[in-house]
Amino acid sequence: MGELAVEKHVKYILTIEKEKDNFESAVIEHIRLNGAYWGLTTLDILGKLNTVDQDEVVSWLMECQHESGGFGGNIGHDPHLLFTLSAIQVLALFDKIDALDIDKVSNYIAGLQNEDGSFSGDMWGEIDTRFSYIAICSLALLNCLDKIDVDKAVKYIVSCKNLDGGFGCTPGGESHAGQIFCCVGALAITGSLHHVDKDLLGWWLCERQVKSGGLNGRPEKLPDVCYSWWVLTSLIMIDRAHWIDKQKLIRFILDSQDKENGGISDRPEDAVDVYHTYFGVAGLSLLEYPGLKAIDPAYALPVDVVNRIFVCR
């Protein structure tokens, strides 16, 4: 199993941040703001956020903002809720949320709520419970939840609950661990976890652990390091994390490292990427792996960052 290769992972993240012409950089060019969130949050959990030039990052990030108030995945790209939350989270890491015109950003987000309480991801109207979580999380971080109809938002999320205790992307959609995180996270932030059948959902989530110790996102799928986040956060928020074998999950994540060049892959022996590196390290943080900063399971930010935001109000 070995140990977490901290310095290798730091070097890997700093390398992909600086190299703009390689394959990995090219394929995430349109979601680079998400990539910045994954990489920078990983560095912060590892206690290495000081290895980046925060002024350079913030300057680039603000160039990704659209006149509507939302953020695109990179400079010149269309705004979307997905990238807007990442922008807020990155600024939170650096204690720079005051760089935003909060009214402008919050109005953009609130303007995407639909009559039934759901949220569209952007002006083109796709609806998904991911966007409900993103809107609620973003507005909570900006202290602007009063700009939306929270009761309607919660009612819509609850309408996406299934007979197995899980949640789908829309009413009637298949239960999926990623969607469950979004719904449970949004309900946690809004103080609405009483809508969750914790034992039923906990059973469904703990059934995601396979023989290797890894977790999958739905029945009969392969395990994937990223579900160390999507599943474990939900179990923590409903107080059922003790229902899985944590040591086997730690071993699965550590076995998915590239110990020579850094980075974490979806499962052992596969190619690494920044997405799985973040979710692997964040999963280890949730599992209280030694030497890592604690991360908040609902806001997906280090606990000290979340405390700074809410204590300073």
Side-chain angles (χ1 to χ4, degrees), residues 129-130 132-133 157 177-187 230 234:
T129 46
R130 288 179 300 155
S132 296
Y133 165 76
I157 292 168
Q179 304 295 152
I180 290 170
F181 160 77
C182 291
C183 294
V184 173
L187 294 175
W230 306 120
S234 297

Side-chain angles (χ1 to χ4, degrees), residues 189-207:
I189 291 170
T190 57
S192 306
L193 282 175
H194 56 279
H195 290 292
V196 177
D197 184 330
K198 295 180 181 180
D199 283 344
L200 183 60
L201 177 57
W203 170 82
W204 191 94
L205 290 168
C206 75
E207 284 289 304

Side-chain angles (χ1 to χ4, degrees), residues 6 90 92 94 118 144 147 165 170-171 191 252 263 270 290:
V6 173
V90 169
F94 293 130
S118 66
C144 292
K147 290 197 173 185
T170 53
F252 176 79
D270 281 358

Side-chain angles (χ1 to χ4, degrees), residues 160-170 172-180 201 204 208 217-219:
C160 298
K161 184 167 66 172
N162 292 317
L163 293 174
D164 56 17
F167 293 81
C169 58
T170 53
E174 178 186 12
S175 293
H176 185 282
Q179 304 295 152
I180 290 170
L201 177 57
W204 191 94
R208 306 280 59 76
R218 49 197 169 119

Side-chain angles (χ1 to χ4, degrees), residues 116 172 185 205 225 254 292 304-305:
D116 63 356
L205 290 168
V225 161
L254 293 178
L292 301 181
D304 65 325
V305 174

Side-chain angles (χ1 to χ4, degrees), residues 92-149:
L93 291 174
F94 293 130
D95 196 16
K96 294 285 187 180
I97 286 183
D98 57 0
L100 293 171
D101 180 333
I102 290 177
D103 276 340
K104 189 173 185 179
V105 178
S106 58
N107 287 340
Y108 167 78
I109 297 168
L112 291 168
Q113 186 171 30
N114 301 304
E115 183 60 33
D116 63 356
S118 66
F119 283 84
S120 300
D122 60 13
M123 64 182 290
W124 303 111
E126 180 189 6
I127 294 172
D128 191 309
T129 46
R130 288 179 300 155
F131 309 146
S132 296
Y133 165 76
I134 289 169
I136 287 169
C137 183
S138 297
L139 292 173
L141 291 171
L142 297 177
N143 195 26
C144 292
L145 271 176
D146 58 340
K147 290 197 173 185
I148 62 170
D149 190 325

Side-chain angles (χ1 to χ4, degrees), residues 202-245:
W203 170 82
W204 191 94
L205 290 168
C206 75
E207 284 289 304
R208 306 280 59 76
Q209 189 164 39
V210 300
K211 290 182 179 180
S212 67
L215 300 162
N216 61 26
R218 49 197 169 119
E220 303 303 321
K221 295 295 183 178
L222 292 173
D224 188 316
V225 161
C226 72
Y227 292 110
S228 306
W229 173 265
W230 306 120
V231 173
L232 191 52
T233 47
S234 297
L235 284 169
I236 290 171
M237 287 186 281
I238 63 171
D239 301 316
R240 299 295 184 275
H242 57 288
W243 286 7
I244 64 165
D245 188 325

